[in-house]
């Protein structure tokens, strides 16, 4: 089955066409600057053929028209007819408390997504736009929603309630939701495969370290706690987000500097994190380079980042009564041996020991723990698109069987 995977942002649509039977990516790319001048579509085919075109792409419907035209194009395409796309899988950011798994998109689901817009005002409207654009461009093709929040929906109440009046939870649904669920789920599954163990018997701590960063405690295949919260702002230090912060700090700053709600939101989401501390960059590669050049602020940014990960490893090991595997994924987790080493430094007392040679080897997917150490430390490239494709196929197959 060929599944078109879509990740619709405010001004971009990322896509992949996946042959789910062969687990092979046929093509993938991104439409950027939707609704702006100089909008582009960049497409890369499985054989490496790459093309970038500039067009007038005013909205998501046109963006999806461009994507389909590219997939069908004689010189750069991979299919000969629209009917070669058998299903569409959407990455949807927020499923609220309604969706604890992937679902076939129906009118009712779209209505619920609209109701959840308040929980994810920056994301869900674009996801809905993408779904509607597919309805008009690919009529009758089944669409499936795969939610970033779903994997964390089985967290116990003690992990998701905040220490504020309970009525605010019932009235406004203020609680921990957690994000990056598809990635945490994929790498936890893959960790069990790599260790030839049953996931139901494992305590896995997963670290998704990319531009956004989050960790999850996965016990017996269930996410029992995670570091992102009501929004993706909580938890680890990130490229430009603060992560955990005494909430009084922001109230204090709003009073001192007369910040509006929007300004405070921008400060915490766009000017904090690695960027905020270092004053140099949100990109971990530049932070490491400048740290090696002796820059103090870059060093502090690196240290705060890694120390925060380490604290969560301790917390999640405590939550699960131990840890069998610690997994690194995401752009930083997959690529930075320096970060992995610093996050695990001094954790030998809990059976986490990293082997320097394995940590710096060129393999993409690997075990980096010292042979014989109690807990496995693994590096696993995430593959959210594959999870979305496989979930989509499962739901569409069920639908066919009636
Ligand atoms: P997103 O969260 O947007 O999907 P990624 O998972 O691709 O992002 O991660 C992007 C981050 O990965 C950037 O901060 C970049 O610094 C980091 N990164 C990529 N390669 C390396 C590397 N070799 N060393 C350190 N950090 C890296």
């Amino acid at each position: 089955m060929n599944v078109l995977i879509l990740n619709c942002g405010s001004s971009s649509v990322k896509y992949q066409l996946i042959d789910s039977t062969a687990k092979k990516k046929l093509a993938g790319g991104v439409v950027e600057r939707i609704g702006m001048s100089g909008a582009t579509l960049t497409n890369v085919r499985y054989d490496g053929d790459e093309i970038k075109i500039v067009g007038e792409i005013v909205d998501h419907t046109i963006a999806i028209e461009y994507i389909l035209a590219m997939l069908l194009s004689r010189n750069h395409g991979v299919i000969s007819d629209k009917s070669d796309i058998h299903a569409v899988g959407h990455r949807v950011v927020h499923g609220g408390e309604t969706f604890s798994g992937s679902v076939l998109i129906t009118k009712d689901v779209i209505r619920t997504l609209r109701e959840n817009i308040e929980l994810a005002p920056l994301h869900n409207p674009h996801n809905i736009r993408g779904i509607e654009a597919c309805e008009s461009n690919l009529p009758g093709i089944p669409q499936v929603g795969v939610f970033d929040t779903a994997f964390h929906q089985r967290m116990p109440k003690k992990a998701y309630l905040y220490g504020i009046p309970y009525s605010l939870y019932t009235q406004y649904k203020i609680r921990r939701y957690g994000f990056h669920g598809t990635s945490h789920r994929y790498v936890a599954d893959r960790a069990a495969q790599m260790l030839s163990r049953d996931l139901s018997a494992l305590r896995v701590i997963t670290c998704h370290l990319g531009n956004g960063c989050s960790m999850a405690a996965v016990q017996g295949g269930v996410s029992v706690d995670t570091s992102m919260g009501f929004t993706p702002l909580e938890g680890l230090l990130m490229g430009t987000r603060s992560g955990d912060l005494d909430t009084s700090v922001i109230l204090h700053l709003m009073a001192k500097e007369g910040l509006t709600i929007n300004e405070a939101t921008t400060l915490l989401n766009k000017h904090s994190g690695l960027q905020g501390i270092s004053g140099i960059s949100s990109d971990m590669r530049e932070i490491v380079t400048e740290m090696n050049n002796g820059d103090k602020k870059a060093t502090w940014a690196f240290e705060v980042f890694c120390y925060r990960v380490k604290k969560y490893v301790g917390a999640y090991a405590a939550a699960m009564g131990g840890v069998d595997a610690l997994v690194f994924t995401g752009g930083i987790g997959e690529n930075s041996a320096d970060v992995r080493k610093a996050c695990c430094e001094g954790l030998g007392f809990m059976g986490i020991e990293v082997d320097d040679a394995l940590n710096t080897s060129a393999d993409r997917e690997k075990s980096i723990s010292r042979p014989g150490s109690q807990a496995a430390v693994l590096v696993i490239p995430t593959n959210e698109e594959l999870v979305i494709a496989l979930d989509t196929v499962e739901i569409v197959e069920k639908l066919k069987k009636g």
Side-chain angles (χ1 to χ4, degrees), residues 360-401:
T360 51
S361 82
D363 300 325
R364 305 263 309 129
E365 186 176 83
K366 58 191 171 185
S367 169
I368 60 169
S369 32
R370 207 168 276 167
S373 66
Q374 199 184 310
V377 184
L378 306 171
V379 180
I380 303 179
T382 195
N383 196 343
E384 293 160 277
E385 291 78 13
L386 181 64
V387 176
I388 297 174
L390 296 180
D391 275 15
T392 302
V393 169
E394 195 184 322
I395 287 171
V396 172
E397 294 287 353
K398 261 195 214 145
L399 183 72
K400 274 197 205 152
K401 285 187 191 136

Side-chain angles (χ1 to χ4, degrees), residues 83-106:
S83 62
D84 293 331
I85 297 173
H86 306 115
V88 181
H90 292 268
R91 175 186 177 210
V92 183
V93 171
H94 216 308
E97 289 192 314
T98 325
F99 301 111
S100 56
S102 305
V103 292
L104 182 74
I105 290 174
T106 59

Side-chain angles (χ1 to χ4, degrees), residues 14 180 208-213 239 274 282-286 288 329-337 339 382 384:
K14 292 189 191 129
H180 291 143
H208 179 109
L209 311 178
N211 280 318
C213 301
L274 293 173
S282 62
D283 189 313
M284 185 55 93
R285 283 167 289 204
E286 287 179 48
V288 172
T329 193
I332 300 173
E334 290 166 31
N335 295 302
S336 178
V339 167
T382 195
E384 293 160 277

Side-chain angles (χ1 to χ4, degrees), residues 244-274:
D244 292 335
L245 180 79
D246 179 346
T247 39
S248 306
V249 170
I250 198 63
L251 301 176
H252 183 78
L253 277 177
M254 286 174 86
K256 279 264 174 218
E257 304 220 334
L259 300 183
T260 63
I261 291 175
N262 275 346
E263 286 165 341
T265 305
T266 304
L267 172 69
L268 295 179
N269 282 285
K270 302 255 194 270
H271 301 306
S272 298
L274 293 173

